[in-house]
Amino acid sequence: MNDLSSLPFNIPPARVAREGLAEGLATQLGYWARRIGTVQHGDTALLARVARELALAACDGHVCLPLTALTGTSADKASSALLASGMAVEAEKTPSHVLAATAFPLVIDNGRLYLRAFFDLESRLSHALNALAAPLPDDAATISRIRDALDSVFPPREGVDWQKVAAALALTRRLTIISGGPGTGKTTTVAALIACLVELEPDLRIALAAPTGKAAARLREALDARTRDLPETARAWLPAEAHTIHRLLGATATPGRFRHHGANPLALDLLVVDEASMLDLALAASLLDALPPHARLVLLGDKDQLAAVEAGAVFADLSSGWRFQADKAARLAALTGAPEEILLQGAGSEAALPDSIVWLLDSHRFRADSGIGRLAREINAGEGAAALARLKTQADPAVLWIEDEIEDGNATPGVPPPNAVLTAMEEGYAAYFSALRETFPGEPLETRATKIFAAFEHFRVLVAVREGPRGLAAANAHLERHARAILGTGSVGMGPFWTGRPVIVLENDPVTRLFNGDIGLCLPDGNGALTVVFPAPGGGIRTVPPRRLPGHGTAFALTVHKSQGSEFSEVLLLLPARPVRVLSRELLYTAVTRAACRVTIACGAAVFEAGCAGRAVRFSGLGERLRNRSGG
């Protein structure tokens, strides 16, 4: 059992063929089992089937599978056969130090089956979260200072000020998880928290981070706007830039390895992570490993958004419910003036980490009766028919629907979208194409690029799938042809780089300091040579020669997953012709809430209603592990 290095546990699912990974795992486990002589012929087939399903589940983002979900056999039979194969170990019956010293590729834990790598990551993360969630020591004088600091940045208001409650929570604990939809005041809360902490701890070292460069830039810009009315001392301590998590941790050439870890922790006292719903299990574990023991961590996110592309739904597991215990509710009531009985009510399911989680529910971006806000609520509630009926009236200019129904139920889904959809896609980028055609005599590249970026960021096409005529490749190909025709930059065959082409980075590359999700524009520099311009952290631009770009693609259209952390004035969401596995209310909600002013949905009625009815389920043991306080 020492030859585990060849097992493809750590290969990112997006980079491998699903079936190839599944067959590879099944073959390897069968080979080991036969080699050590623990599996009879009949049990080899069961082991292979279980291995395939587990590998495919990992590709779909699941950390584990319930034994009851494994096809073709009962949970007890599957467990017994796996243990007898010598390929699995039962965690709850094995002392932790013995488990750590073994090399079983599969782990059974409380009715769940894990790849060993995922079990170790989840156990590591739960231990770290449990340790981080412990309350900070305080006394009467400290509580009085905290109350005064909170009152200085939160003016009195009617009802419960949940932003003030969230800030008070973060001032009294090392771990705070804040979930809220668009416009609910997450960054306002953090701005006030920073002002309070700087007053209480003047030498505080603060870091800001997010999973993508776009989300990091938005966090820094939002905090800058929210702190304009705060004391200059608080503004002075705000970091000049926000980092991607990979850049903060110090990504290396080896995937999953970082310069900062437990033996070389980050030099900070407060870390704020925005768009934490995008954190996968491995990245979350690496982040917690690199946090110094004394530091505070604030995770901001939206529990209703899509989870990470990679395995795990860490933020959703942590924020599915919140509860304050009696002593904490009393303390928060004393600090904020909120009624203690309301703080005791909680919401959602049983809290994974009591006293560390709070939801922000009041949106200041969308009015209660606004089109986008109402549509988002209906999608979240699974009220597809009601939302569709309202979309069909076309009474609200903020929420539009383009019917894209394939009338013949037997027709191939390879039919392209109707002209109305293609025209809406083209018109959405009209301002961008106009900006590209303008001349800027004598203006430096940075000034030109800033104007052109502003026009590009106004609109985006979002898609649910990559393939097919309503997928990513087709949408980008159509818009590229249209752009080249409008801009006069030649035919599609003239080469991959041309003035106006938007590119999205698809790989982390520490050498060029470009990371997955960064978006740049191909523009001529002062000498007329084509370069790729990216917004620079902290403001300004940076340029990268096209030949030095890491793996990348065209970015007229983005998958909904890739759009997380972004906001556009207008969005067109193009859905497939038939309901597909990835379609869910989480996907629809995430797409709709990327739009600040207007969203257009192009799809058939049945597809939209199917999306509202579907849920994006991720199997994981993190929430249960934390609620049981076992940590491992």
Side-chain angles (χ1 to χ4, degrees):
M1 294 279 301
N2 296 321
D3 186 22
L4 292 179
S5 60
S6 63
L7 195 62
F9 285 159
N10 296 320
I11 300 177
R15 297 186 185 181
V16 297
R18 289 162 49 89
E19 293 77 9
L21 177 61
E23 287 301 322
L25 179 60
T27 300
Q28 188 70 64
L29 291 191
Y31 167 75
W32 285 335
R34 288 190 297 273
R35 184 176 176 182
I36 63 176
T38 54
V39 172
Q40 303 301 317
H41 177 73
D43 289 333
T44 304
L46 172 63
L47 180 64
R49 184 171 68 249
V50 167
R52 287 190 195 96
E53 292 189 21
L54 197 57
L56 291 173
C59 292
D60 288 335
H62 301 292
V63 173
C64 58
L65 276 181
L67 284 170
T68 54
L70 296 170
T71 61
T73 187
S74 68
D76 288 343
K77 182 179 178 182
S79 179
S80 297
L82 289 170
L83 293 172
S85 74
M87 295 296 102
V89 62
E90 200 166 9
E92 59 265 37
K93 294 182 180 179
T94 307
S96 58
H97 69 281
V98 175
L99 182 61
T102 63
F104 291 94
L106 305 177
V107 179
I108 299 170
D109 183 42
N110 289 304
R112 300 181 297 267
L113 180 64
Y114 291 83
L115 292 173
R116 176 59 182 267
F118 286 161
F119 176 82
D120 289 345
L121 284 170
E122 187 176 276
S123 300
R124 208 170 89 206
L125 179 60
S126 60
H127 275 299
L129 287 167
N130 271 328
L132 194 63
L136 292 169
D138 56 38
D139 52 35
T142 301
I143 292 300
S144 177
R145 292 179 64 215
I146 291 175
R147 182 169 52 244
D148 291 344
L150 287 166
D151 289 342
S152 70
V153 294
F154 287 101
R157 55 171 286 182
E158 292 285 332
V160 178
D161 187 342
W162 289 107
Q163 295 177 20
K164 188 175 184 179
V165 171
L169 188 65
L171 289 168
T172 56
R173 300 185 74 81
R174 290 179 52 226
L175 173 64
T176 306
I177 300 159
I178 303 173
S179 176
T184 52
K186 297 187 292 292
T187 50
T188 299
T189 301
V190 169
L193 167 65
I194 290 173
C196 292
L197 280 172
V198 168
E199 180 180 338
L200 297 167
E201 303 176 32
D203 296 326
L204 200 70
R205 297 170 299 173
I206 304 169
L208 309 174
T212 67
K214 185 67 177 178
R218 282 193 61 217
L219 172 62
R220 181 59 184 80
E221 291 165 4
L223 280 175
D224 188 55
R226 303 298 190 278
T227 55
R228 286 172 186 163
D229 296 329
L230 294 177
E232 184 58 35
T233 52
R235 289 180 57 79
W237 282 101
L238 194 66
E241 62 179 287
H243 302 278
T244 65
I245 295 175
H246 283 83
R247 185 176 171 214
L248 177 76
L249 294 178
T252 67
T254 304
R257 296 295 182 97
F258 301 97
R259 291 195 305 274
H260 290 289
H261 42 72
N264 181 33
L266 296 161
L268 52 81
D269 304 302
L270 169 66
L271 174 60
V272 177
V273 178
D274 198 13
E275 298 293 345
S277 61
M278 300 167 68
L279 280 174
D280 61 80
L281 178 64
L283 189 57
S286 294
L287 185 67
L288 269 289
D289 281 349
L291 205 65
H294 70 280
R296 283 182 170 92
L297 174 64
V298 177
L299 298 178
L300 309 174
D302 186 342
K303 63 181 177 59
D304 297 316
Q305 280 195 37
L306 283 169
V309 175
E310 310 294 344
V314 173
F315 192 82
D317 287 339
L318 296 180
S319 59
S320 60
W322 65 268
R323 293 289 184 281
F324 293 133
Q325 299 177 93
D327 58 341
K328 191 63 182 180
R331 181 62 52 85
L332 290 174
L335 286 171
T336 65
E340 188 174 339
E341 60 273 17
I342 293 179
L343 296 177
L344 283 169
Q345 290 175 2
S349 59
E350 182 184 354
L353 291 166
D355 300 339
S356 292
I357 306 156
V358 65
W359 293 356
L360 304 179
L361 300 175
D362 300 324
S363 177
H364 305 284
R365 181 185 304 174
F366 305 127
R367 302 188 321 272
D369 61 344
S370 75
I372 295 176
R374 184 175 175 183
L375 179 61
R377 288 195 304 275
E378 288 170 338
I379 289 170
N380 259 344
E383 298 171 356
L388 186 63
R390 199 161 54 80
L391 283 169
K392 286 182 176 181
T393 67
Q394 303 285 15
D396 190 334
V399 288
L400 303 177
W401 182 54
I402 301 177
E403 186 172 1
D404 183 14
E405 196 85 62
I406 295 180
E407 296 181 3
D408 181 0
N410 296 318
T412 172
V415 177
N419 287 335
V421 174
L422 300 177
T423 299
M425 290 165 53
E426 294 164 3
E427 291 177 348
Y429 283 110
Y432 175 57
F433 299 142
S434 294
L436 286 168
R437 287 196 300 266
E438 288 183 27
T439 57
F440 304 93
E443 284 191 337
L445 177 59
E446 180 173 337
T447 305
R448 271 190 297 129
T450 300
K451 295 176 182 178
I452 295 172
F453 260 112
F456 179 68
E457 292 298 322
H458 173 79
F459 173 79
R460 198 70 85 248
V461 174
L462 303 183
V463 298
V465 296
R466 294 183 174 276
E467 305 303 327
R470 291 161 177 78
L472 183 71
N476 273 317
H478 175 83
L479 286 166
E480 178 170 336
R481 287 192 296 271
H482 176 72
R484 287 183 177 241
I486 290 291
L487 300 171
T489 51
S491 67
V492 174
M494 292 295 289
F497 295 103
W498 42 276
T499 296
R501 182 196 176 195
V503 297
I504 180 168
V505 176
L506 302 176
E507 299 176 350
N508 294 319
D509 183 21
V511 176
T512 58
R513 294 179 292 115
L514 291 174
F515 298 92
N516 194 344
D518 288 349
I519 289 180
L521 299 177
C522 295
L523 299 173
D525 63 17
N527 298 316
L530 201 63
T531 188
V532 187
V533 180
F534 292 87
I541 64 168
R542 54 186 298 248
T543 60
V544 178
R547 66 181 183 279
R548 293 197 61 201
L549 285 179
H552 59 277
T554 301
F556 282 118
L558 301 175
T559 63
V560 177
H561 266 293
K562 285 291 187 185
S563 75
Q564 287 181 267
S566 299
E567 178 186 305
F568 312 100
S569 293
E570 298 183 17
V571 160
L572 187 150
L573 173 61
L574 178 60
L575 297 179
R578 299 273 189 270
V580 292
R581 179 175 49 85
V582 299
L583 200 58
S584 66
R585 68 183 64 169
E586 289 84 359
L587 182 140
L588 295 180
Y589 170 85
T590 301
V592 164
T593 54
R594 297 312 89 203
C597 300
R598 185 168 70 181
V599 60
T600 301
I601 300 176
C603 68
V607 170
F608 181 80
E609 291 195 55
C612 289
R615 298 304 304 263
V617 177
R618 291 278 179 98
F619 290 120
S620 160
L622 181 62
E624 181 182 332
R625 201 177 298 280
L626 290 168
R627 282 187 286 271
N628 292 339
R629 296 296 177 269
S630 65

